[in-house]
Amino acid sequence: MQQANNTLTYEQAHNLFIYDDSTGVVYNRVHRNRVRAGDRAGYTGNHGYMSVQVDGIQYKLHRVIWLMVYGEWPYGEIDHINGERADNRIANLRIVDRSGNQRNAA
Protein backbone atom coordinates (compact mmCIF):
# COMPACT_ATOMS: atom_id res chain seq x y z
CA MET A 1 0.00 0.00 0.00
CA GLN A 2 1.29 3.40 -0.95
CA GLN A 3 1.33 6.41 1.40
CA ALA A 4 -0.76 9.45 0.52
CA ASN A 5 0.60 11.98 -1.91
CA ASN A 6 -2.47 14.22 -1.81
CA THR A 7 -3.79 13.04 -5.16
CA LEU A 8 -7.33 12.64 -3.80
CA THR A 9 -9.37 15.66 -4.86
CA TYR A 10 -12.11 17.51 -3.02
CA GLU A 11 -14.66 16.20 -5.53
CA GLN A 12 -13.48 12.60 -5.24
CA ALA A 13 -13.58 12.78 -1.44
CA HIS A 14 -17.17 14.03 -1.52
CA ASN A 15 -18.13 11.37 -4.05
CA LEU A 16 -16.70 8.62 -1.84
CA PHE A 17 -17.43 9.80 1.71
CA ILE A 18 -20.01 11.50 3.92
CA TYR A 19 -18.63 13.43 6.90
CA ASP A 20 -20.65 14.08 10.06
CA ASP A 21 -18.94 17.11 11.59
CA SER A 22 -20.84 16.79 14.88
CA THR A 23 -19.40 13.33 15.59
CA GLY A 24 -16.27 13.33 13.43
CA VAL A 25 -17.36 10.08 11.81
CA VAL A 26 -16.92 9.45 8.09
CA TYR A 27 -19.20 7.05 6.21
CA ASN A 28 -18.78 5.44 2.81
CA ARG A 29 -21.08 7.03 0.26
CA VAL A 30 -20.70 4.23 -2.29
CA HIS A 31 -19.92 0.53 -2.36
CA ARG A 32 -16.39 -0.17 -3.56
CA ASN A 33 -14.24 -3.25 -3.19
CA ARG A 34 -14.87 -4.63 0.30
CA VAL A 35 -16.53 -1.55 1.81
CA ARG A 36 -20.26 -0.99 1.68
CA ALA A 37 -22.18 2.24 1.27
CA GLY A 38 -23.39 3.54 4.62
CA ASP A 39 -20.72 1.75 6.66
CA ARG A 40 -18.26 3.70 8.76
CA ALA A 41 -15.18 4.48 6.68
CA GLY A 42 -11.63 3.85 7.72
CA TYR A 43 -9.59 1.74 10.07
CA THR A 44 -7.34 2.47 13.00
CA GLY A 45 -3.65 2.27 12.17
CA ASN A 46 -0.67 1.38 14.34
CA HIS A 47 -0.43 4.80 15.98
CA GLY A 48 -4.12 5.25 16.70
CA TYR A 49 -4.93 7.48 13.74
CA MET A 50 -7.83 6.59 11.46
CA SER A 51 -6.96 6.00 7.80
CA VAL A 52 -8.81 5.25 4.58
CA GLN A 53 -7.57 3.66 1.40
CA VAL A 54 -8.51 4.98 -2.04
CA ASP A 55 -7.14 3.40 -5.21
CA GLY A 56 -4.39 1.65 -3.24
CA ILE A 57 -3.25 4.85 -1.51
CA GLN A 58 -3.54 5.26 2.26
CA TYR A 59 -4.75 8.63 3.57
CA LYS A 60 -4.97 9.76 7.17
CA LEU A 61 -8.66 10.35 7.74
CA HIS A 62 -8.20 13.64 9.60
CA ARG A 63 -6.39 15.03 6.53
CA VAL A 64 -9.20 13.85 4.21
CA ILE A 65 -11.71 15.51 6.55
CA TRP A 66 -9.74 18.76 6.34
CA LEU A 67 -9.89 18.50 2.53
CA MET A 68 -13.64 17.85 2.62
CA VAL A 69 -14.37 20.79 4.95
CA TYR A 70 -11.95 23.42 3.64
CA GLY A 71 -11.56 22.35 0.00
CA GLU A 72 -7.78 21.97 0.14
CA TRP A 73 -5.14 19.76 1.68
CA PRO A 74 -3.76 21.09 4.97
CA TYR A 75 -0.45 22.91 4.51
CA GLY A 76 1.01 21.65 7.80
CA GLU A 77 0.50 18.94 10.34
CA ILE A 78 -2.91 18.48 11.91
CA ASP A 79 -3.18 18.40 15.67
CA HIS A 80 -6.02 16.74 17.55
CA ILE A 81 -6.58 19.46 20.15
CA ASN A 82 -7.84 17.11 22.88
CA GLY A 83 -5.12 14.55 22.15
CA GLU A 84 -7.65 11.88 21.09
CA ARG A 85 -6.42 10.62 17.71
CA ALA A 86 -9.78 9.08 16.85
CA ASP A 87 -11.73 12.31 17.59
CA ASN A 88 -12.01 13.74 14.09
CA ARG A 89 -14.59 16.44 14.74
CA ILE A 90 -13.48 19.48 12.74
CA ALA A 91 -13.68 21.54 15.97
CA ASN A 92 -10.95 19.26 17.38
CA LEU A 93 -8.56 19.67 14.42
CA ARG A 94 -6.09 22.48 13.82
CA ILE A 95 -3.03 23.05 11.68
CA VAL A 96 0.26 23.27 13.58
CA ASP A 97 3.93 23.05 12.79
CA ARG A 98 5.88 19.96 13.84
CA SER A 99 7.02 21.46 17.14
CA GLY A 100 3.45 22.43 18.05
CA ASN A 101 2.26 18.92 17.31
CA GLN A 102 5.09 17.42 19.38
CA ARG A 103 4.24 19.68 22.36
CA ASN A 104 0.68 18.38 22.36
CA ALA A 105 1.89 14.77 22.22
CA ALA A 106 3.86 15.14 25.46
Coordinates of all heavy atoms in Angstrom, one line a residue, residues 21-103:
D21 N -19.8 16.2 10.8 CA -18.9 17.1 11.6 C -19.3 17.2 13.1 O -18.4 17.5 13.9 CB -18.9 18.5 11.0 CG -20.2 19.2 11.0 OD1 -21.2 18.6 11.3 OD2 -20.2 20.5 10.7
S22 N -20.5 16.8 13.5 CA -20.8 16.8 14.9 C -20.2 15.6 15.6 O -20.0 15.7 16.8 CB -22.4 16.8 15.1 OG -22.9 15.6 14.6
T23 N -20.0 14.5 14.9 CA -19.4 13.3 15.6 C -18.0 13.0 15.1 O -17.3 12.3 15.8 CB -20.2 12.1 15.3 OG1 -20.2 11.8 13.9 CG2 -21.7 12.2 15.8
G24 N -17.6 13.6 14.0 CA -16.3 13.3 13.4 C -16.2 12.0 12.7 O -15.1 11.6 12.3
V25 N -17.3 11.4 12.5 CA -17.4 10.1 11.8 C -17.5 10.3 10.3 O -18.3 11.1 9.9 CB -18.5 9.2 12.4 CG1 -18.6 7.9 11.6 CG2 -18.2 8.9 13.9
V26 N -16.8 9.4 9.5 CA -16.9 9.4 8.1 C -17.6 8.1 7.7 O -17.2 7.1 8.2 CB -15.5 9.6 7.4 CG1 -15.6 9.5 5.9 CG2 -14.9 10.9 7.8
Y27 N -18.5 8.2 6.7 CA -19.2 7.1 6.2 C -18.9 6.9 4.7 O -18.7 7.9 4.0 CB -20.7 7.2 6.4 CG -21.1 7.3 7.9 CD1 -21.2 8.5 8.5 CD2 -21.3 6.1 8.6 CE1 -21.6 8.6 9.8 CE2 -21.6 6.2 10.0 CZ -21.8 7.5 10.6 OH -22.1 7.6 11.9
N28 N -18.9 5.7 4.2 CA -18.8 5.4 2.8 C -20.1 5.8 2.1 O -21.2 5.4 2.5 CB -18.5 4.0 2.6 CG -17.2 3.5 3.1 OD1 -16.1 4.1 2.7 ND2 -17.2 2.6 4.0
R29 N -19.9 6.6 1.1 CA -21.1 7.0 0.3 C -21.5 6.0 -0.8 O -22.6 5.8 -1.1 CB -20.8 8.3 -0.5 CG -21.9 8.9 -1.2 CD -21.6 10.2 -1.9 NE -21.3 11.3 -1.0 CZ -22.2 12.1 -0.4 NH1 -23.4 11.9 -0.7 NH2 -21.8 13.1 0.4
V30 N -20.5 5.2 -1.2 CA -20.7 4.2 -2.3 C -20.0 2.9 -1.9 O -19.1 2.9 -1.1 CB -20.1 4.7 -3.7 CG1 -20.9 5.9 -4.1 CG2 -18.6 5.0 -3.6
H31 N -20.5 1.8 -2.5 CA -19.9 0.5 -2.4 C -18.7 0.5 -3.3 O -18.8 0.8 -4.5 CB -20.9 -0.6 -2.7 CG -20.4 -1.9 -2.6 ND1 -20.2 -2.6 -1.5 CD2 -19.9 -2.7 -3.6 CE1 -19.7 -3.8 -1.7 NE2 -19.5 -3.9 -3.0
R32 N -17.6 0.0 -2.7 CA -16.4 -0.2 -3.6 C -15.5 -1.2 -2.9 O -15.3 -1.2 -1.7 CB -15.6 1.1 -3.8 CG -15.2 1.8 -2.5 CD -14.5 3.2 -2.8 NE -14.2 3.8 -1.6 CZ -13.1 3.6 -0.9 NH1 -12.1 2.9 -1.4 NH2 -12.9 4.2 0.2
N33 N -15.0 -2.1 -3.7 CA -14.2 -3.3 -3.2 C -14.9 -3.9 -2.0 O -16.1 -4.4 -2.1 CB -12.8 -2.8 -2.8 CG -12.1 -2.2 -4.0 OD1 -12.3 -2.6 -5.2 ND2 -11.3 -1.2 -3.8
R34 N -14.3 -3.9 -0.9 CA -14.9 -4.6 0.3 C -15.6 -3.7 1.3 O -16.1 -4.2 2.3 CB -13.8 -5.3 1.1 CG -13.2 -6.5 0.3 CD -12.0 -7.1 1.0 NE -10.9 -6.2 0.9 CZ -9.7 -6.5 1.3 NH1 -9.4 -7.6 1.9 NH2 -8.7 -5.6 1.2
V35 N -15.8 -2.5 0.9 CA -16.5 -1.5 1.8 C -17.9 -1.3 1.2 O -18.1 -1.3 0.0 CB -15.8 -0.2 2.0 CG1 -14.5 -0.4 2.7 CG2 -15.6 0.5 0.7
R36 N -18.9 -1.2 2.1 CA -20.3 -1.0 1.7 C -20.7 0.4 2.0 O -20.3 1.1 2.9 CB -21.2 -2.0 2.4 CG -20.8 -3.4 2.2 CD -22.0 -4.3 2.3 NE -21.7 -5.7 2.1 CZ -21.6 -6.2 0.9 NH1 -21.8 -5.5 -0.2 NH2 -21.3 -7.5 0.8
A37 N -21.6 0.9 1.1 CA -22.2 2.2 1.3 C -22.9 2.3 2.6 O -23.6 1.3 3.0 CB -23.1 2.6 0.1
G38 N -22.7 3.4 3.3 CA -23.4 3.5 4.6 C -22.6 3.1 5.8 O -22.8 3.4 6.9
D39 N -21.6 2.2 5.6 CA -20.7 1.8 6.7 C -19.7 2.8 7.1 O -19.4 3.7 6.2 CB -19.9 0.5 6.3 CG -20.8 -0.7 6.2 OD1 -21.9 -0.7 6.6 OD2 -20.2 -1.8 5.8
R40 N -19.3 2.8 8.3 CA -18.3 3.7 8.8 C -17.0 3.5 7.9 O -16.6 2.3 7.7 CB -18.0 3.4 10.2 CG -17.2 4.5 10.9 CD -17.1 4.3 12.4 NE -16.3 5.3 13.0 CZ -16.4 5.7 14.2 NH1 -17.2 5.1 15.0 NH2 -15.6 6.6 14.6
A41 N -16.4 4.6 7.5 CA -15.2 4.5 6.7 C -13.9 4.5 7.6 O -13.9 5.1 8.6 CB -15.1 5.7 5.7
G42 N -12.9 3.8 7.1 CA -11.6 3.8 7.7 C -11.3 2.7 8.7 O -12.2 1.9 9.0
Y43 N -10.1 2.7 9.1 CA -9.6 1.7 10.1 C -8.5 2.4 10.9 O -8.0 3.5 10.5 CB -9.0 0.5 9.3 CG -7.9 0.9 8.3 CD1 -6.6 1.0 8.7 CD2 -8.3 1.2 7.0 CE1 -5.6 1.4 7.7 CE2 -7.3 1.6 6.1 CZ -6.0 1.7 6.4 OH -5.1 2.0 5.5
T44 N -8.3 1.9 12.1 CA -7.3 2.5 13.0 C -6.0 1.9 12.7 O -5.8 0.6 12.7 CB -7.7 2.2 14.5 OG1 -9.0 2.7 14.7 CG2 -6.8 2.9 15.4
G45 N -5.0 2.7 12.5 CA -3.6 2.3 12.2 C -2.8 2.0 13.4 O -3.3 2.1 14.6
N46 N -1.6 1.7 13.2 CA -0.7 1.4 14.3 C -0.5 2.5 15.4 O -0.3 2.2 16.6 CB 0.7 1.0 13.8 CG 0.7 -0.2 13.0 OD1 -0.2 -1.0 13.1 ND2 1.7 -0.3 12.1
H47 N -0.6 3.7 15.0 CA -0.4 4.8 16.0 C -1.7 5.4 16.5 O -1.7 6.5 17.1 CB 0.5 5.9 15.3 CG 1.8 5.3 15.0 ND1 2.8 5.0 15.9 CD2 2.3 5.0 13.8 CE1 3.9 4.5 15.3 NE2 3.6 4.5 14.0
G48 N -2.8 4.8 16.2 CA -4.1 5.2 16.7 C -4.9 6.2 15.8 O -6.0 6.6 16.1
Y49 N -4.3 6.6 14.7 CA -4.9 7.5 13.7 C -5.8 6.7 12.8 O -5.4 5.6 12.4 CB -3.9 8.3 12.9 CG -3.1 9.3 13.7 CD1 -1.8 9.0 14.1 CD2 -3.7 10.5 14.1 CE1 -1.1 9.9 14.8 CE2 -2.9 11.4 14.9 CZ -1.6 11.1 15.2 OH -0.9 12.0 15.9
M50 N -6.9 7.2 12.4 CA -7.8 6.6 11.5 C -7.3 6.9 10.1 O -6.8 7.9 9.8 CB -9.2 7.2 11.6 CG -9.9 6.9 12.9 SD -10.4 5.2 13.1 CE -11.6 5.0 11.8
S51 N -7.4 5.9 9.2 CA -7.0 6.0 7.8 C -8.0 5.4 6.9 O -8.8 4.6 7.3 CB -5.6 5.2 7.6 OG -4.6 5.8 8.3
V52 N -8.0 5.8 5.6 CA -8.8 5.2 4.6 C -7.9 4.9 3.4 O -6.8 5.6 3.2 CB -10.0 6.2 4.1 CG1 -11.0 6.3 5.2 CG2 -9.5 7.5 3.7
Q53 N -8.3 4.0 2.6 CA -7.6 3.7 1.4 C -8.4 4.0 0.2 O -9.6 3.6 0.1 CB -7.2 2.2 1.4 CG -6.3 1.8 0.3 CD -5.7 0.4 0.5 OE1 -5.8 -0.2 1.5 NE2 -5.3 -0.2 -0.6
V54 N -7.8 4.7 -0.8 CA -8.5 5.0 -2.0 C -7.5 4.7 -3.2 O -6.4 5.2 -3.2 CB -8.9 6.5 -2.1 CG1 -9.6 6.8 -3.5 CG2 -9.9 6.8 -1.0
D55 N -8.0 3.8 -4.1 CA -7.1 3.4 -5.2 C -5.7 3.0 -4.8 O -4.7 3.3 -5.4 CB -7.1 4.5 -6.2 CG -8.4 4.8 -6.9 OD1 -9.2 3.9 -6.9 OD2 -8.6 6.0 -7.2
G56 N -5.7 2.2 -3.7 CA -4.4 1.7 -3.2 C -3.5 2.6 -2.5 O -2.4 2.3 -2.1
I57 N -4.0 3.8 -2.2 CA -3.3 4.8 -1.5 C -3.9 5.1 -0.1 O -5.1 5.2 0.0 CB -3.2 6.2 -2.3 CG1 -2.5 5.9 -3.6 CG2 -2.5 7.2 -1.5 CD1 -2.6 7.1 -4.6
Q58 N -3.1 5.1 0.9 CA -3.5 5.3 2.3 C -3.5 6.7 2.6 O -2.5 7.4 2.4 CB -2.6 4.5 3.2 CG -3.0 4.7 4.7 CD -2.1 3.9 5.6 OE1 -1.5 2.9 5.2 NE2 -1.9 4.4 6.8
Y59 N -4.6 7.2 3.1 CA -4.8 8.6 3.6 C -5.1 8.7 5.0 O -6.0 7.9 5.5 CB -5.8 9.4 2.8 CG -5.6 9.5 1.3 CD1 -6.0 8.5 0.4 CD2 -4.9 10.6 0.8 CE1 -5.8 8.6 -1.0 CE2 -4.6 10.7 -0.6 CZ -5.1 9.7 -1.4 OH -4.8 9.9 -2.8
K60 N -4.5 9.5 5.8 CA -5.0 9.8 7.2 C -6.3 10.4 7.1 O -6.5 11.4 6.4 CB -4.0 10.7 7.9 CG -2.6 10.1 8.1 CD -2.6 8.9 9.1 CE -1.2 8.4 9.3 NZ -1.2 7.0 9.6
L61 N -7.3 9.9 7.8 CA -8.7 10.3 7.7 C -8.8 11.8 8.2 O -9.6 12.5 7.6 CB -9.6 9.4 8.6 CG -11.1 9.6 8.3 CD1 -11.4 9.4 6.9 CD2 -11.8 8.6 9.2
H62 N -8.1 12.2 9.2 CA -8.2 13.6 9.6 C -7.8 14.6 8.5 O -8.3 15.7 8.4 CB -7.5 13.9 10.9 CG -6.0 13.5 10.9 ND1 -5.6 12.3 11.2 CD2 -4.9 14.3 10.7 CE1 -4.2 12.3 11.2 NE2 -3.8 13.5 10.9
R63 N -6.8 14.2 7.6 CA -6.4 15.0 6.5 C -7.5 15.1 5.4 O -7.7 16.1 4.8 CB -5.0 14.6 6.0 CG -3.9 14.7 7.1 CD -2.6 14.4 6.6 NE -2.1 15.3 5.6 CZ -1.5 16.5 5.9 NH1 -1.4 16.9 7.1 NH2 -1.1 17.3 4.9
V64 N -8.1 13.9 5.2 CA -9.2 13.9 4.2 C -10.4 14.7 4.7 O -11.0 15.4 3.9 CB -9.6 12.4 4.0 CG1 -10.9 12.3 3.1 CG2 -8.5 11.6 3.3
I65 N -10.6 14.7 6.0 CA -11.7 15.5 6.6 C -11.4 17.0 6.3 O -12.2 17.8 5.9 CB -11.9 15.2 8.0 CG1 -12.6 13.8 8.2 CG2 -12.7 16.3 8.7 CD1 -12.5 13.2 9.6
W66 N -10.1 17.4 6.6 CA -9.7 18.8 6.3 C -10.0 19.1 4.9 O -10.5 20.2 4.6 CB -8.3 18.9 6.7 CG -7.9 20.4 6.8 CD1 -7.5 21.2 5.8 CD2 -7.9 21.2 7.9 NE1 -7.2 22.4 6.2 CE2 -7.4 22.5 7.6 CE3 -8.2 20.9 9.3 CZ2 -7.3 23.5 8.5 CZ3 -8.0 22.0 10.2 CH2 -7.6 23.2 9.8
L67 N -9.6 18.3 4.0 CA -9.9 18.5 2.5 C -11.4 18.7 2.3 O -11.8 19.6 1.5 CB -9.3 17.3 1.7 CG -9.7 17.3 0.2 CD1 -9.0 18.4 -0.5 CD2 -9.3 15.9 -0.4
M68 N -12.2 17.8 2.9 CA -13.6 17.9 2.6 C -14.3 19.1 3.2 O -15.2 19.7 2.6 CB -14.3 16.6 3.2 CG -14.0 15.3 2.5 SD -14.7 13.9 3.3 CE -16.4 14.1 2.7
V69 N -13.8 19.6 4.3 CA -14.4 20.8 4.9 C -13.9 22.1 4.3 O -14.6 23.0 4.0 CB -14.1 20.8 6.5 CG1 -14.5 22.1 7.1 CG2 -14.8 19.6 7.1
Y70 N -12.6 22.2 4.1 CA -11.9 23.4 3.6 C -11.6 23.5 2.1 O -11.2 24.5 1.6 CB -10.7 23.7 4.5 CG -11.0 24.0 5.9 CD1 -10.7 23.1 6.9 CD2 -11.8 25.1 6.3 CE1 -11.0 23.3 8.2 CE2 -12.1 25.3 7.6 CZ -11.7 24.4 8.6 OH -12.1 24.6 9.9
G71 N -11.8 22.3 1.4 CA -11.6 22.3 0.0 C -10.1 22.3 -0.4 O -9.8 22.4 -1.6
E72 N -9.2 22.1 0.5 CA -7.8 22.0 0.1 C -7.1 21.1 1.2 O -7.5 21.0 2.3 CB -7.1 23.3 0.0 CG -7.1 24.1 1.3 CD -6.6 25.5 1.2 OE1 -6.6 26.0 0.1 OE2 -6.3 26.1 2.2
W73 N -5.9 20.5 0.8 CA -5.1 19.8 1.7 C -4.5 20.7 2.7 O -4.1 21.8 2.4 CB -4.1 19.0 0.9 CG -4.6 17.8 0.2 CD1 -4.9 17.8 -1.2 CD2 -5.0 16.6 0.7 NE1 -5.4 16.5 -1.5 CE2 -5.5 15.8 -0.3 CE3 -5.0 16.0 2.0 CZ2 -5.9 14.5 -0.1 CZ3 -5.4 14.7 2.2 CH2 -5.9 14.0 1.2
P74 N -4.4 20.2 3.9 CA -3.8 21.1 5.0 C -2.3 21.3 4.6 O -1.6 20.5 4.1 CB -3.9 20.3 6.3 CG -4.1 18.9 5.8 CD -4.8 18.9 4.5
Y75 N -1.8 22.5 4.9 CA -0.4 22.9 4.5 C 0.6 22.5 5.6 O 1.8 22.7 5.4 CB -0.4 24.4 4.2 CG -0.8 25.3 5.3 CD1 0.0 25.6 6.4 CD2 -2.1 25.8 5.4 CE1 -0.4 26.5 7.4 CE2 -2.6 26.6 6.4 CZ -1.7 26.9 7.4 OH -2.1 27.7 8.4
G76 N 0.1 22.1 6.7 CA 1.0 21.7 7.8 C 0.5 20.4 8.4 O -0.3 19.6 7.8
E77 N 1.0 20.1 9.6 CA 0.5 18.9 10.3 C -0.8 19.3 11.0 O -1.1 20.4 11.3 CB 1.5 18.5 11.4 CG 2.8 18.0 10.8 CD 3.7 17.4 11.8 OE1 3.3 17.1 12.9 OE2 4.9 17.2 11.5
I78 N -1.6 18.3 11.2 CA -2.9 18.5 11.9 C -2.8 17.9 13.3 O -2.4 16.8 13.5 CB -4.1 17.8 11.2 CG1 -4.3 18.5 9.8 CG2 -5.4 17.9 12.0 CD1 -5.5 18.1 9.0
D79 N -3.2 18.8 14.3 CA -3.2 18.4 15.7 C -4.6 18.1 16.1 O -5.5 18.8 15.8 CB -2.6 19.6 16.5 CG -2.6 19.3 17.9 OD1 -2.2 18.2 18.4 OD2 -3.0 20.3 18.7
H80 N -4.8 17.0 16.9 CA -6.0 16.7 17.6 C -6.0 17.5 18.9 O -5.2 17.1 19.8 CB -6.2 15.2 17.7 CG -6.5 14.5 16.5 ND1 -5.4 14.2 15.6 CD2 -7.6 14.1 15.9 CE1 -6.0 13.5 14.6 NE2 -7.3 13.4 14.7
I81 N -6.7 18.5 19.0 CA -6.6 19.5 20.1 C -6.7 18.7 21.5 O -5.9 19.0 22.4 CB -7.6 20.6 20.0 CG1 -7.4 21.4 18.8 CG2 -7.6 21.5 21.3 CD1 -8.5 22.3 18.4
N82 N -7.6 17.8 21.6 CA -7.8 17.1 22.9 C -6.9 15.9 23.0 O -7.0 15.2 24.0 CB -9.3 16.7 23.1 CG -9.8 15.7 22.1 OD1 -9.0 15.1 21.3 ND2 -11.1 15.4 22.1
G83 N -6.1 15.7 22.1 CA -5.1 14.6 22.2 C -5.7 13.2 21.8 O -5.0 12.2 21.7
E84 N -7.0 13.1 21.5 CA -7.6 11.9 21.1 C -7.5 11.7 19.6 O -8.2 12.4 18.8 CB -9.1 11.9 21.5 CG -9.3 11.9 23.0 CD -8.9 10.7 23.7 OE1 -9.0 9.6 23.1 OE2 -8.4 10.8 24.8
R85 N -6.7 10.8 19.1 CA -6.4 10.6 17.7 C -7.6 10.1 16.9 O -7.7 10.3 15.7 CB -5.3 9.7 17.5 CG -4.0 10.2 18.1 CD -2.8 9.3 18.0 NE -1.6 9.9 18.4 CZ -0.5 9.3 18.6 NH1 -0.4 8.0 18.3 NH2 0.6 10.0 19.0
A86 N -8.6 9.5 17.6 CA -9.8 9.1 16.8 C -10.9 10.1 16.8 O -11.9 9.9 16.2 CB -10.3 7.8 17.5
D87 N -10.7 11.2 17.5 CA -11.7 12.3 17.6 C -11.5 13.3 16.4 O -10.7 14.2 16.5 CB -11.6 13.1 18.9 CG -12.7 14.1 19.1 OD1 -13.5 14.4 18.1 OD2 -12.8 14.7 20.2
N88 N -12.2 13.0 15.3 CA -12.0 13.7 14.1 C -13.1 14.8 13.8 O -13.3 15.2 12.7 CB -11.9 12.8 12.9 CG -10.6 12.0 12.9 OD1 -9.5 12.7 13.1 ND2 -10.6 10.8 12.6
R89 N -13.7 15.3 14.9 CA -14.6 16.4 14.7 C -13.7 17.6 14.3 O -12.6 17.9 14.8 CB -15.3 16.8 16.1 CG -16.3 15.7 16.5 CD -16.8 16.0 17.9 NE -15.7 16.0 18.9 CZ -15.4 17.1 19.7 NH1 -16.1 18.2 19.7 NH2 -14.3 17.0 20.5
I90 N -14.3 18.4 13.3 CA -13.5 19.5 12.7 C -13.1 20.5 13.8 O -12.1 21.1 13.8 CB -14.2 20.1 11.5 CG1 -13.2 21.0 10.7 CG2 -15.4 20.9 12.0 CD1 -12.1 20.2 10.0
A91 N -14.0 20.6 14.9 CA -13.7 21.5 16.0 C -12.5 21.1 16.8 O -11.9 21.8 17.5 CB -14.9 21.7 16.9
N92 N -12.1 19.8 16.6 CA -10.9 19.3 17.4 C -9.7 19.2 16.5 O -8.6 18.8 17.0 CB -11.3 17.8 17.9 CG -10.3 17.3 18.8 OD1 -9.8 18.0 19.7 ND2 -9.8 16.1 18.6
L93 N -9.7 19.7 15.3 CA -8.6 19.7 14.4 C -8.0 21.1 14.1 O -8.8 22.0 13.9 CB -8.9 19.0 13.1 CG -9.5 17.6 13.2 CD1 -9.9 17.1 11.8 CD2 -8.6 16.6 13.9
R94 N -6.7 21.2 14.2 CA -6.1 22.5 13.8 C -4.7 22.2 13.2 O -4.1 21.2 13.4 CB -5.9 23.3 15.1 CG -4.9 22.8 16.1 CD -4.7 23.6 17.3 NE -4.0 22.9 18.3 CZ -3.9 23.2 19.5 NH1 -4.5 24.3 20.0 NH2 -3.2 22.5 20.4
I95 N -4.3 23.1 12.3 CA -3.0 23.0 11.7 C -2.0 23.6 12.6 O -2.1 24.7 13.2 CB -3.0 23.8 10.4 CG1 -3.9 23.1 9.4 CG2 -1.6 23.9 9.8 CD1 -4.0 23.8 8.0
V96 N -0.9 22.9 12.8 CA 0.3 23.3 13.6 C 1.5 22.9 12.8 O 1.5 22.1 11.9 CB 0.3 22.6 15.0 CG1 -0.9 23.0 15.8 CG2 0.3 21.1 14.8
D97 N 2.6 23.5 13.3 CA 3.9 23.0 12.8 C 4.4 21.8 13.6 O 3.7 21.4 14.6 CB 5.0 24.2 12.8 CG 5.3 24.7 14.2 OD1 4.9 24.0 15.2 OD2 5.8 25.8 14.3
R98 N 5.4 21.2 13.2 CA 5.9 20.0 13.8 C 6.1 20.2 15.3 O 5.7 19.3 16.1 CB 7.1 19.4 13.2 CG 7.6 18.1 13.8 CD 8.6 17.4 13.0 NE 8.1 16.9 11.7 CZ 7.5 15.7 11.6 NH1 7.3 15.0 12.6 NH2 7.1 15.3 10.4
S99 N 6.7 21.3 15.7 CA 7.0 21.5 17.1 C 5.7 21.6 17.9 O 5.6 21.1 19.1 CB 8.0 22.7 17.4 OG 7.3 23.9 16.9
G100 N 4.7 22.3 17.4 CA 3.5 22.4 18.0 C 2.8 21.1 18.2 O 2.2 20.8 19.3
N101 N 2.9 20.2 17.2 CA 2.3 18.9 17.3 C 3.0 18.1 18.3 O 2.4 17.3 19.1 CB 2.3 18.3 15.9 CG 1.2 17.2 15.8 OD1 0.3 17.1 16.6 ND2 1.3 16.5 14.7
Q102 N 4.3 18.2 18.4 CA 5.1 17.4 19.4 C 4.8 17.9 20.8 O 4.7 17.1 21.7 CB 6.6 17.6 19.1 CG 7.0 17.0 17.8 CD 6.8 15.5 17.7 OE1 6.9 14.8 18.7 NE2 6.4 15.0 16.5
R103 N 4.6 19.2 21.0 CA 4.2 19.7 22.4 C 3.0 19.1 22.9 O 2.8 18.7 24.0 CB 4.1 21.2 22.3 CG 5.4 21.9 22.6 CD 5.1 23.4 22.9 NE 4.4 24.1 21.9 CZ 4.9 24.6 20.8 NH1 6.2 24.5 20.5 NH2 4.1 25.3 19.9

